[in-house]
Amino acid sequence: LDDEFLKDNNENSENFRQDKILPDLETDMPSRAWRRMSEKQTFKTVAPLNIHSPVKPDCLRFVCLSDTHSKLHVDDMSKFYVPPGDILLHAGDFTMKGRPLEIERFNEALGKLPHKKKIVIAGNHELSFDDSLFTEANCFGESIGTVERYLKTKGLKSVRGLLTNAIYLQDSMVTVCGINIYGSPWQPRFCDWAFNVIRGEEILQKWNWIPENVDILITHGPPVGHGDVTKAGINVGCVELLNTVQKRVKPKYHLFGHIHEGYGLTTDGETMFINASSCTKGYKLCNPPIIFDVPLPPGQ
Ligand code: 5GP
Ligand code: MN
Ligand code: MN
Ligand code: MN
């Protein structure tokens, strides 16, 4: 397959004419796919808003975190300051292994934060949230039996119930003051962690569940081209996710984390892409939360 053929097949033929998004032929080579795709679109990096700035009038303030990896201890705000706001969003990897104790500590930290609503998705580190792994003994360093007995003492069937201070989204949506927020934990397979799926058709099926009326999309992993460059200098984001965002869903904001070194904001002119990874590549909690203000819809 030469370059011309791929170009034709991806952008001029059925793929492009149909409303339906098809898997990209170069999906397994995201750097290469992005080089091709980036020629035909706007791409800009965006400076983050000062986290101490006042909220714009008639707006809701969103405060974004991701990849806090069991390091969020809000008792000492001098170490990691979480600014106030209306809604806190967390794009997954709030633990290292998804152990109940880690989930409870994260939930406690959330409880101490002032935001009226906290919306959380899982990442690949939340092993116990992935039903397909929960059947495997010791998948996260504790025997399933021990975890199940522990949950039973709390009257819970699943670890999700431990997140009492959050709205947990998993391929689901919540509407807050007229703003639709959808969350999804899936990412392209890497080292067999939770919510891993194969690039192409399989991951596209997950993205096909995202409804069109989403204003804020939260996924754990980045789309290709935005906040997805690793230390090695390669893009590892999901090609099908970028196509879904740009061609079909067109949310105002797309929040994610997962590639810690991709922290920051970028835009394609229609969607603001936010990699809010709070931890660095070395799992040090020091990237400040990213904030944005959304005008309240009429009547809210
Ligand atoms: P985490 O283990 O917290 O999900 O990801 C931590 C780091 O692992 C990321 O910052 C990134 O450096 C690396 N990583 C995660 N997923 C991928 C991937 O799909 N490909 C590559 N090359 N590195 C990844
Ligand atoms: Mn839309
Ligand atoms: Mn992470
Ligand atoms: Mn991750």
Side-chain angles (χ1 to χ4, degrees):
L1 295 181
D2 62 27
D3 278 351
E4 269 320 296
F5 173 81
L6 286 170
K7 215 173 214 165
D8 271 19
N9 207 33
N10 274 313
E11 278 160 20
N12 300 334
S13 65
E14 291 160 71
N15 258 10
F16 203 63
R17 270 185 253 120
Q18 289 177 351
D19 279 353
K20 195 171 162 257
I21 291 155
L22 295 177
D24 191 286
L25 293 172
E26 292 183 308
T27 192
D28 286 321
M29 298 171 279
S31 274
R32 198 176 151 129
W34 174 243
R35 222 179 302 136
R36 186 191 76 235
M37 294 162 92
S38 63
E39 283 172 15
K40 299 196 173 173
Q41 54 183 285
T42 307
F43 175 88
K44 281 195 187 107
T45 57
V46 177
L49 260 183
N50 182 333
I51 55 173
H52 303 289
S53 65
V55 184
K56 293 190 195 122
D58 303 316
C59 281
L60 276 186
R61 168 148 300 176
F62 288 81
V63 178
C64 307
L65 302 175
S66 189
D67 299 79
T68 48
H69 286 291
S70 287
K71 304 235 159 62
L72 187 68
H73 309 295
V74 293
D75 300 326
D76 187 358
M77 285 282 215
S78 65
K79 288 211 183 89
F80 184 75
Y81 175 67
V82 181
D86 299 292
I87 297 157
L88 186 90
L89 305 176
H90 193 300
D93 278 3
F94 48 88
T95 69
M96 287 305 286
K97 285 185 161 186
R99 287 170 295 218
L101 193 63
E102 290 183 281
I103 302 163
E104 285 180 323
R105 285 201 186 127
F106 173 68
N107 187 58
E108 252 173 66
L110 287 182
K112 288 178 186 159
L113 288 168
H115 314 79
K116 291 178 215 91
K117 295 225 153 62
K118 291 118 184 180
I119 298 168
V120 173
I121 67 164
N124 54 308
H125 279 254
E126 277 71 66
L127 295 165
S128 58
F129 282 70
D130 186 332
D131 291 335
S132 72
L133 295 180
F134 203 74
T135 54
E136 292 170 29
N138 284 309
C139 82
F140 46 97
E142 268 174 69
S143 94
I144 296 297
T146 311
V147 175
E148 279 176 341
R149 272 193 299 280
Y150 181 73
L151 291 175
K152 212 168 180 182
T153 65
K154 306 228 155 194
L156 297 172
K157 282 207 180 83
S158 111
V159 285
R160 294 179 204 184
L162 296 171
L163 288 176
T164 56
N165 294 321
I167 297 166
Y168 176 71
L169 296 182
Q170 186 175 315
D171 304 308
S172 56
M173 184 153 86
V174 63
T175 304
V176 181
C177 300
I179 297 165
N180 293 333
I181 305 163
Y182 182 95
S184 174
W186 306 98
Q187 358 85 41
R189 201 162 72 104
F190 183 67
C191 299
D192 288 323
W193 286 75
F195 303 107
N196 271 203
V197 273
I198 297 166
R199 293 177 189 268
E201 186 60 47
E202 195 178 317
I203 201 157
L204 181 58
Q205 280 176 28
K206 309 294 183 193
W207 309 142
N208 284 343
W209 293 335
I210 308 170
E212 255 122 81
N213 60 352
V214 170
D215 301 301
I216 301 174
L217 174 64
I218 314 173
T219 57
H220 178 56
V224 74
H226 295 270
D228 74 325
V229 177
T230 65
K231 224 170 184 173
I234 54 164
N235 298 86
V236 296
C238 178
V239 181
E240 279 66 48
L241 182 53
L242 185 67
N243 278 330
T244 298
V245 163
Q246 292 185 322
K247 294 180 181 169
R248 191 173 66 75
V249 180
K250 301 170 183 167
K252 288 270 181 306
Y253 295 91
H254 181 187
L255 167 67
F256 48 87
H258 184 48
I259 304 304
H260 300 180
E261 52 275 56
Y263 171 80
L265 292 94
T266 51
T267 181
D268 63 359
E270 177 141 6
T271 298
M272 183 73 77
F273 296 91
I274 304 174
N275 181 329
S277 293
S278 308
C279 276
T280 60
K281 171 106 173 87
Y283 295 90
K284 192 168 178 277
L285 187 74
C286 63
N287 292 328
I290 292 175
I291 59 166
F292 62 86
D293 294 341
V294 177
L296 280 165
Q300 294 285 338

